[in-house]
Amino acid sequence: MINNDSYNLNAAILESHPEINVFAFDCNYRYLAFNRKHKEAMKRIWGSEIEIGMNMLDAIGMPEDREKAKINFDRAIKGESFTLMEEYLDEAYVQNYWQSFWAPIFSDNGRIVGSTCFVQDISERRKAEAALEQEMKFTNALLESIPGYLYVYDDTGRLIKWNNKHEKMTGYTADELSQMTLDKWFEGEDAVNVANAVKEVFETGYGEVEANLLTKGGGKLLIRSNGVPLEIGGKTYFTGVGLDISKQRENEDAIRRSEAMLKATVSNISDVITILDENGIIKYKSPNITKLFGWDPKDLIGRSYLETAHSDDKDMLRKAFEALLQEDGAKVVVEYRYKNKDGSDSIIQLTAANLLSNPDINGILANYSDITERKKMENELRESEERFSNLFERAPLGYQSLDFDGRINEVNEAWLMALGYQREEVVGKWFGDFLAPEFVTVFQQRFPMFKVAGKVHSEFEMLHKNGERRTVSFEGRIGHKVDGSFDKTHCILQDITERIQAENALRESEEKYRLITENISDVIWVLNLTKNKFTYISPSIFQLRGITPEEAMNESMEEAFIPESLEIAREEIMKNTNDFINHPNVIKTVRQEFKQPCKDGTTVWVEVSGRYRYNSDGEIELVGASHDIQERKMAEEQILTIINHDQLTGIYNRRFYEDELKKIDKEINLPIALVMVDVNGLKLINDAFGHQTGDLLLQKIADVLSKECNTDGIVSRIGGDEFILLLPLTDSEKVNKLIERISDSIANEKMDNVLLSVAIGFAIKHDMNYDMKEIFKEAEDDLYRHKISESSSMRSKTIELIMSSLFEKNNREMLHSQRVGELCEAIARTMNFSKHEIDQMRIAGLMHDIGKIGIQDIILNKKGKLDHEEWEQIKRHSEIGYRILSSVNEFSEIANYVLEHQERWDGKGYPNGLKGEEISLQARIIAVADSYDAMTSDRAYRRGLSREEAIREIQKYSGTQFDPDIAKAFVDQVLSI
C-alpha cells in the first residue's frame, strides 16, 4: 500500500516536465501510471479517455500503430532499455516527430513487472534542423552557380572564404588557397591597379578592376573583379566576384580588327558616294569623284544634283527623286548621262536610298557605279557596325531577389548600374515590368515552375531605363523559411547582350557560307601548299567522286588524280606557285582540266579553278572549286567521234586523215607510206543487190584493213569506194607484206553471191623535199594501173554470180530465160543475122531479166496477181538490168537491148515509151520471144495458153505491142518448124 506522501511525490515527479509525456504499464499492457501530458496526447491523437488499469493497446485507434506499439511494449517488458525516433501525423495531417526512452520495471526480487516510457515531441527542433540544412545547401549551390570565382578577404589581405570555382579557375587546392594573400595573385601594374580598387571599395563602398590573375600553373587569366565591403562582428572584410573575360576580350579585339578593316575598305572604294538633302542639294561628295569625273567635291557641295545631269535626262531624274521621297527607306536605280568637268558625258548607274531618318546619314545616299556588289558590301558594313557597336559596353554581374508574386525585394548596385535605374525605382515593382514585351508572358509561365522546381536557368531580354534591350542570363534558386515554406528567390544576373550578338553574327556568317558550300554542286576546297594537304573539302565531293570529305582530305596527290592528270597537276602547281611567290599582289585565277578516280572504279573529268593566297599563318594556300564536266567531255568525245569517223564503216574519215597527215608529215616519221585501196565493182553490186549489200561489202573491207593495219598507222575512208592507209616509219618491204596480208584476208572473206575484190596502190615518201600531194598522186596512179588489169575480169565474174544468184532463187526464171534465149536465137537465124549477132541474141535473151535480181523475192514468187505498187517494182527490172550489164564492156550492147525489151511498137511500153523503129531490132525480137514464153507458161494464178492460143494473141497484138514483121516471121517461120 502506497502512502499519500509517496503518491504525491510520484505524481509530482510525473508532472515535473510539462513537455515530456510519461507513462508506465504492467506485463499485460495495463496502465500503472501516466501524467497529464500523456493523457492529453491520447485524447488528442486517438480520442481515448485513458484510466489506470486500462489496456494501453485498446486506447490506440489505428491497427498498424497498435501493432507497432505492441512491439515496443514487448521489447521493454522483456528487459530491454532503448531509445526510439518516430514520425506521426497529427489530426491536421502534419508530420510530427517523437523521441521515446523505454526501460523495464523490476520488483524487489528482480522480476520484471512492467515498463516505463518517457516521450518528447521534437517536431519543431527537427523542422529547424531541416530548414538549416536546406538553407546551407541552397547557399552552397548559389555560391557555386556564380559564373566566376567568389572571394572574401580580411583586412590584412588574407583569403578566408571562396567557392569551388576559385579552385578550378586558379588550379590551387583548398589548403593552398587558405594560405593565399591578395598580393600573391598579381604582379607589376596589375598589382597596383588591384590595390587601388581595394582602396576604392573601402572608401566608396564599391570597386572594380581588370587585371591578369596568376594561376598555379604559371599562366594568367584576364579577369574583371568587382567588390564591396563587408562588416561582421566588428571586423571589416571585402568580398566580390571575379570573372574570366579572356575570351570576351579576344572577341572584342577581333571585332575591332574587323571594324577597322571594313572602315578602311569604305575609305578606299573607287565608287563615288554622294549625300543629298531632302531638296536634292549635295551635302557630300566622296573625293574619288575627281579621279572619275574631274570634279572637286568642293565645287559640287551646296549645288543641286541635277546640275551635272544631261538636259534630256533631268525630267526622269526628278521623277525618280520624287518617288524616293515618298517612303522612308525607298530606293531607286536609274541610268543617265553625267556631265564631267571637261564637258564630256559619262553613262552611270545611280543607286539612291532615302536615309533621311537615319541619324548617321540624314539624307539621300547615292552611289555612282556598278552597284550590285557595292550595295551588298555597304549593307553588310552598316549591319556589322550596328551589330558590334554594343560590344564595347560593360557587361556587369547583378543580383536580385523576388517575393512570391514576382515583385522585386532587393537588387545590388551592379544590377542598377546595368539597367540604369535608382533603387527606389525598382524595389517593390513587378519583375515583368522590366522585361521586353514578348518576354512578359514567358516570365508569367515560368515563374510558377521555378517556385516548384527550386532552381532555374533562363535568358530574358530586359529593358534599360533608356529603352535599350539587354539580354540577361539568370541563375536562380528558391530560398525557404525555417518551416520550409517559400521565402524569396535568389538570382544572379549576367548581361550577355554582347556575347549573344557576337554569337548570332558569327552563327549567321558561318551558316550562310556553310549553306553555300554544302549546297552547290561544285566542290569547294582549300589546299595548303606549305603543308601539302587539303584543309577543307565541301560535302559535294561525295556526289562527284563517291567519297566523304574526310576520305578526300586524307588522299595523296597520286590517289587524287589519274597518272596523266597527276603530271599536269604537279607542273601547274609548281609553275603557278612560283608565279604567286614572285608576284603575290597580282590577282590571277588559274584553270585546268583534270581526270580524277571515283570510288566505284570509274573516272570523272573536272574543271578546276582557283586562286593563290597567304593564310593568317603566312602559308600558301590554293582556294578553288572543282566543276563536273564529265557530260561535256563525253559530248566532246562523241562529237569528235562523229566528226572524225566514217558513219558507215566506223573507221576514220577524210577530215581526220587530212588532219593526221599534217601531224605525221615530219622528218621523224620518215619513211611514210601511203596505201590506197579501191573496192572493185561496188556500183555493180549496188545495182544488182542493193545498197545494203554494197554497204556490208564496204564494212567488211574496212574491217579487214583495220585488222591488218592494226596500230601501225591510220586507216580512213576518203570516198565512196576508196580507202587510204597512212603508215609512218614504213618502207616498201613492210608495205608489200601488208598488201599481201590484206589480199589474203579479202580472198578469205565470204558474202553470198558477192565477190570481194579490191585494187591496191601505194607510194612512199623518203625525203621531206617531196610534198605529200605528190606521194598521193603516185599512189593513185599505182592504184589505177592495178585496177585496169583486175576490174574487167572481176565484173564478168560478178555478172555470172548475179545470173547464178537469180536462177538459184527462182528455177522458173532460169527455165524462162533459157527458153527466151533459144527463141531469140531462132528468130535471129530466120532473119539472116550473122553468127556473132545470133550468139548475141541468144545471150541477150538469156540475160533479158537479169534486173530481176534487184526485185524482192516475195514479189517475184507471188502466187496471185500483182497489185499496182508491186507491178511498178517489176517494171524497174529492165533499168536495173541495164545498169548491171553496162558496167562490163563486153555486155554494153546487150545492156541496151535489155533496157528496151519492154517497150511497145505503139509507144505504150516502158521505161522510156519508145515507138516503132526507135526501139532497137534486138529489143523487139526479145519482146516477142519473152511474151510468147510467158503466155505459154503456167503461173500460180492461171494455166498457160496453148500454142494456137498464143499465136492468136501475137497476131492480135501485131502492130500495136509487137513489131508486125518480127511477129509474122516468128509465127510463120519459127513456130511452123
Side-chain angles (χ1 to χ4, degrees):
M1 191 72 178
I2 301 176
N3 59 41
N4 289 334
D5 290 339
S6 296
Y7 179 83
N8 292 333
L9 177 62
N10 289 334
I13 292 171
L14 290 174
E15 301 297 340
S16 63
H17 199 303
E19 298 301 322
I20 296 179
N21 190 326
V22 183
F23 61 91
F25 55 91
D26 64 16
C27 292
N28 293 315
Y29 316 118
R30 293 189 298 260
Y31 275 112
L32 294 175
F34 52 80
N35 66 355
R36 188 183 304 106
K37 185 72 174 179
H38 179 68
K39 182 178 179 68
E40 292 173 353
M42 295 301 286
K43 175 68 174 176
R44 185 179 72 253
I45 297 173
W46 307 118
S48 299
E49 291 286 352
I50 62 174
E51 297 177 355
I52 300 299
M54 180 181 181
N55 191 312
M56 285 189 63
L57 296 178
D58 293 339
I60 300 174
M62 298 295 288
E64 59 269 24
D65 291 336
R66 187 183 304 124
E67 184 63 29
K68 185 176 177 182
K70 185 177 182 300
I71 293 172
N72 294 333
F73 296 165
D74 290 343
R75 288 178 62 187
I77 60 181
K78 287 180 182 179
E80 183 179 354
S81 296
F82 57 93
T83 301
L84 290 178
M85 184 79 70
E86 296 179 286
E87 300 178 16
Y88 72 94
L89 296 174
D90 61 16
E91 65 274 11
Y93 294 96
V94 175
Q95 192 75 29
N96 287 270
Y97 299 89
W98 280 349
Q99 187 175 27
S100 58
F101 305 90
W102 300 78
I105 302 173
F106 295 94
S107 65
D108 293 339
N109 59 8
R111 183 170 62 87
I112 298 174
V113 294
S115 174
T116 61
C117 181
F118 297 83
V119 181
Q120 184 178 10
D121 188 343
I122 60 170
S123 299
E124 292 302 322
R125 189 185 77 190
R126 289 286 295 170
K127 290 178 181 177
E129 290 173 351
L132 180 60
E133 182 181 359
Q134 185 178 15
E135 188 67 22
M136 289 297 294
K137 288 181 180 179
F138 161 74
T139 301
N140 290 333
L142 185 61
L143 293 176
E144 296 307 324
S145 69
I146 294 174
Y149 66 87
L150 179 70
Y151 59 82
V152 179
Y153 287 90
D154 64 16
D155 54 1
T156 66
R158 186 172 64 87
L159 182 63
I160 63 170
K161 188 68 177 177
W162 59 88
N163 62 354
N164 287 336
K165 287 187 180 176
H166 206 310
E167 299 173 18
K168 293 178 181 177
M169 291 175 66
T170 64
Y172 287 101
T173 65
D175 289 340
E176 292 170 332
L177 287 176
S178 66
Q179 304 300 317
M180 292 295 288
T181 55
L182 186 60
D183 60 308
K184 294 180 181 180
W185 293 112
F186 306 97
E187 60 184 8
E189 185 179 349
D190 288 333
V192 175
N193 293 337
V194 170
N196 291 334
V198 173
K199 182 180 178 182
E200 188 177 357
V201 167
F202 290 111
E203 291 178 351
T204 67
Y206 180 80
E208 184 174 318
V209 68
E210 290 185 8
N212 290 291
L213 181 140
L214 303 175
T215 64
K216 183 177 179 180
K220 292 182 179 181
L221 289 178
L222 180 61
I223 57 99
R224 177 184 292 129
S225 177
N226 50 20
V228 294
L230 181 66
E231 186 171 337
I232 301 175
K235 290 186 177 182
T236 302
Y237 305 88
F238 71 91
T239 181
V241 176
L243 297 176
D244 180 358
I245 61 170
S246 304
K247 193 65 179 180
Q248 178 182 333
R249 184 55 51 83
E250 290 176 8
N251 290 340
E252 290 173 352
D253 291 343
I255 292 167
R256 289 192 194 95
R257 290 194 298 271
S258 175
E259 187 177 59
M261 179 185 70
L262 294 175
K263 288 182 178 178
T265 302
V266 171
S267 299
N268 291 282
I269 57 175
S270 60
D271 297 342
V272 176
I273 297 176
T274 301
I275 299 177
L276 311 174
D277 68 12
E278 60 186 358
N279 298 313
I281 302 302
I282 299 171
K283 297 166 57 179
Y284 171 79
K285 279 283 186 182
S286 58
N288 53 356
I289 191 172
T290 304
K291 183 173 73 172
L292 294 178
F293 305 119
W295 292 102
D296 188 317
K298 292 183 293 185
D299 296 338
L300 298 177
I301 293 174
R303 296 166 61 180
S304 170
Y305 73 100
L306 291 172
E307 292 185 29
T308 53
H310 192 280
S311 58
D312 293 342
D313 296 334
K314 289 184 179 182
D315 286 341
M316 177 266 293
L317 284 173
R318 286 192 189 94
K319 291 178 182 178
F321 191 78
E322 289 171 1
L324 194 63
L325 294 176
Q326 293 302 311
E327 183 180 354
D328 184 32
K331 297 179 182 179
V332 296
V333 179
V334 294
E335 291 184 358
Y336 73 96
R337 286 163 289 183
Y338 186 87
K339 189 181 298 181
N340 298 323
K341 181 70 179 289
D342 62 6
S344 61
D345 289 333
S346 294
I347 303 299
I348 67 165
Q349 186 179 56
L350 170 66
T351 300
N354 184 341
L355 300 179
L356 290 167
S357 63
N358 186 312
D360 296 325
I361 303 297
N362 191 25
I364 306 299
L365 179 65
N367 186 44
Y368 294 71
S369 75
D370 176 1
I371 56 87
T372 306
E373 292 300 321
R374 177 57 51 77
K375 195 64 181 176
K376 178 181 176 183
M377 185 191 73
E378 289 176 352
N379 289 339
E380 290 179 349
L381 178 61
R382 188 177 303 106
E383 290 171 3
S384 176
E385 289 175 344
E386 293 173 355
R387 186 168 60 247
F388 295 138
S389 63
N390 291 326
L391 290 179
F392 298 100
E393 295 188 20
R394 186 165 55 93
L397 190 66
Y399 167 82
Q400 72 177 30
S401 68
L402 307 178
D403 66 12
F404 188 84
D405 296 320
R407 291 187 295 270
I408 297 175
N409 286 330
E410 56 181 328
V411 294
N412 66 356
E413 287 296 328
W415 193 102
L416 296 170
M417 292 173 63
L419 296 173
Y421 292 95
Q422 298 298 317
R423 191 177 303 275
E424 57 271 19
E425 296 176 306
V426 173
V427 174
K429 299 292 181 64
W430 184 55
F431 178 64
D433 293 339
F434 300 93
L435 294 175
E438 64 269 27
F439 287 92
V440 173
T441 303
V442 177
F443 171 69
Q444 290 173 329
Q445 293 171 346
R446 291 185 182 178
F447 189 62
M449 294 187 287
F450 172 28
K451 290 185 288 186
V452 173
K455 61 180 180 179
V456 71
H457 170 81
S458 188
E459 292 180 2
F460 292 104
E461 282 194 9
M462 299 187 68
L463 296 176
H464 192 277
K465 185 176 180 179
N466 63 12
E468 180 185 0
R469 288 173 175 247
R470 307 298 296 176
T471 303
V472 180
S473 172
F474 288 76
E475 290 286 346
R477 295 290 187 275
I478 299 296
H480 296 88
K481 297 178 181 178
V482 174
D483 62 1
S485 63
F486 177 92
D487 183 20
K488 59 183 176 181
T489 70
H490 299 276
C491 295
I492 299 297
L493 287 70
Q494 184 180 8
D495 188 339
I496 59 171
T497 305
E498 285 76 15
R499 191 194 79 194
I500 293 297
Q501 289 175 340
E503 289 175 353
N504 289 341
L506 181 61
R507 189 181 302 109
E508 290 173 6
S509 176
E510 289 177 346
E511 179 68 11
K512 177 175 68 176
Y513 290 108
R514 182 187 68 78
L515 289 173
I516 291 173
T517 57
E518 290 185 1
N519 290 283
I520 61 174
S521 58
D522 288 358
V523 179
I524 309 300
W525 45 263
V526 179
L527 174 60
N528 188 308
L529 296 168
T530 304
K531 296 178 180 177
N532 195 29
K533 64 179 293 186
F534 285 98
T535 57
Y536 174 79
I537 296 180
S538 66
S540 48
I541 187 69
F542 186 81
Q543 281 72 37
L544 181 68
R545 297 178 56 207
I547 59 178
T548 65
E550 291 75 18
E551 291 172 330
M553 286 192 287
N554 289 327
E555 281 186 325
S556 64
M557 291 284 285
E558 289 78 5
E559 294 171 318
F561 298 94
I562 67 169
E564 296 83 356
S565 292
L566 176 62
E567 183 177 350
I568 297 171
R570 283 174 169 164
E571 290 177 358
E572 286 292 309
I573 289 174
M574 182 179 295
K575 173 182 174 296
N576 292 319
T577 301
N578 290 333
D579 289 347
F580 175 72
I581 292 172
N582 294 328
H583 307 285
N585 296 323
V586 176
I587 298 176
K588 176 183 177 184
T589 300
V590 295
R591 285 186 173 84
Q592 187 57 265
E593 293 179 0
F594 299 107
K595 205 171 189 180
Q596 292 188 279
C598 299
K599 193 168 187 176
D600 61 4
T602 61
T603 58
V604 61
W605 275 102
V606 297
E607 181 182 66
V608 170
S609 60
R611 287 186 178 181
Y612 287 78
R613 72 174 187 184
Y614 284 108
N615 65 18
S616 58
D617 295 326
E619 299 166 333
I620 298 177
E621 289 182 336
L622 176 57
V623 181
S626 297
H627 179 63
D628 185 351
I629 59 169
Q630 181 69 15
E631 292 186 3
R632 191 191 83 193
K633 296 296 286 189
M634 291 175 64
E636 289 175 356
E637 291 176 5
Q638 291 174 352
I639 292 170
L640 286 175
T641 298
I642 293 171
I643 291 174
N644 293 326
H645 287 75
D646 176 53
Q647 189 173 0
L648 175 64
T649 62
I651 62 175
Y652 293 120
N653 57 18
R654 187 182 195 99
R655 178 186 178 280
F656 183 82
Y657 155 73
E658 291 174 349
D659 289 343
E660 285 299 302
L661 182 61
K662 297 173 184 176
K663 299 176 184 177
I664 291 176
D665 189 16
K666 292 180 173 54
E667 190 168 3
I668 192 174
N669 292 320
L670 296 178
I672 302 171
L674 195 150
V675 180
M676 298 191 70
V677 180
D678 187 274
V679 180
N680 290 325
L682 178 62
K683 183 178 183 305
L684 177 59
I685 292 169
N686 284 336
D687 291 338
F689 299 106
H691 283 277
Q692 287 185 341
T693 303
D695 291 346
L696 181 60
L697 171 62
L698 290 171
Q699 290 168 351
K700 282 187 172 292
I701 298 299
D703 290 343
V704 169
L705 297 177
S706 298
K707 177 182 176 182
E708 296 303 334
C709 187
N710 202 358
T711 58
D712 296 335
I714 304 298
V715 179
S716 304
R717 180 184 176 206
I718 62 171
D721 55 2
E722 293 179 334
F723 297 84
I724 195 162
L725 281 61
L726 190 59
L727 307 167
L729 302 174
T730 305
D731 57 19
S732 297
E733 182 180 356
K734 290 182 181 179
V735 173
N736 284 319
K737 288 181 179 179
L738 174 62
I739 292 173
E740 185 177 349
R741 293 199 307 273
I742 292 172
S743 299
D744 291 343
S745 294
I746 290 175
N748 293 326
E749 287 289 334
K750 301 296 182 183
M751 281 183 66
D752 294 342
N753 305 313
V754 175
L755 181 66
L756 275 69
S757 172
V758 298
I760 302 175
F762 74 93
I764 296 177
K765 178 175 180 176
H766 295 280
D767 192 332
M768 290 303 294
N769 291 323
Y770 286 89
D771 193 289
M772 282 304 294
K773 292 179 181 178
E774 299 176 62
I775 304 302
F776 186 92
K777 184 65 170 60
E778 290 181 25
E780 193 174 43
D781 292 343
D782 188 47
L783 169 72
Y784 287 127
R785 284 195 295 271
H786 289 85
K787 193 171 184 68
I788 290 170
S789 62
E790 298 170 359
S791 181
S792 179
S793 62
M794 180 270 172
R795 289 195 184 96
S796 297
K797 292 178 182 178
T798 301
I799 295 294
E800 293 175 8
L801 282 172
I802 292 170
M803 292 300 299
S804 298
S805 176
L806 177 62
F807 294 159
E808 285 174 8
K809 289 196 298 181
N810 195 321
N811 184 62
R812 176 175 58 78
E813 200 64 50
M814 179 185 71
L815 296 175
H816 168 69
S817 296
Q818 289 175 348
R819 290 194 297 270
V820 171
E822 292 171 356
L823 291 173
C824 286
E825 179 182 8
I827 294 172
R829 198 180 302 281
T830 63
M831 295 181 69
N832 297 316
F833 279 27
S834 66
K835 184 177 183 307
H836 172 70
E837 290 172 333
I838 293 171
D839 290 339
Q840 285 287 87
M841 279 309 305
R842 178 179 56 77
I843 294 171
L846 182 65
M847 292 184 171
H848 78 286
D849 278 343
I850 191 173
K852 287 184 179 180
I853 193 69
I855 306 302
Q856 296 177 6
D857 292 345
I858 192 172
I859 296 176
L860 292 177
N861 298 321
K862 186 174 181 179
K863 294 183 178 181
K865 286 189 176 182
L866 300 177
D867 60 25
H868 175 74
E869 291 184 3
E870 291 169 339
W871 178 242
E872 290 298 320
Q873 287 291 321
I874 287 290
K875 288 166 65 176
R876 292 178 54 246
H877 79 280
S878 58
E879 293 178 272
I880 295 172
Y882 169 78
R883 290 198 299 270
I884 292 172
L885 294 173
S886 63
S887 65
V888 182
N889 290 334
E890 60 184 288
F891 297 129
S892 58
E893 290 185 22
I894 294 175
N896 290 319
Y897 310 156
V898 170
L899 176 65
E900 298 172 358
H901 82 276
Q902 290 293 345
E903 301 285 358
R904 289 167 55 107
W905 182 258
D906 59 6
K908 296 181 180 180
Y910 62 86
N912 296 317
L914 300 179
K915 182 178 180 182
E917 293 185 355
E918 292 177 349
I919 308 168
S920 63
L921 177 61
Q922 291 85 347
R924 285 177 269 156
I925 292 172
I926 296 172
V928 173
D930 181 31
S931 296
Y932 176 79
D933 188 73
M935 286 187 287
T936 56
S937 299
D938 291 336
R939 293 287 187 267
Y941 54 89
R942 64 163 176 81
R943 290 185 62 188
L945 301 178
S946 64
R947 176 187 174 93
E948 290 72 18
E949 289 171 332
I951 289 174
R952 285 196 294 272
E953 285 294 313
I954 288 175
Q955 290 173 336
K956 178 181 178 180
Y957 291 102
S958 175
T960 56
Q961 180 177 352
F962 307 116
D963 181 331
D965 295 333
I966 297 175
K968 186 175 187 309
F970 177 68
V971 171
D972 295 345
Q973 299 181 47
V974 175
L975 295 182
S976 63
I977 297 175

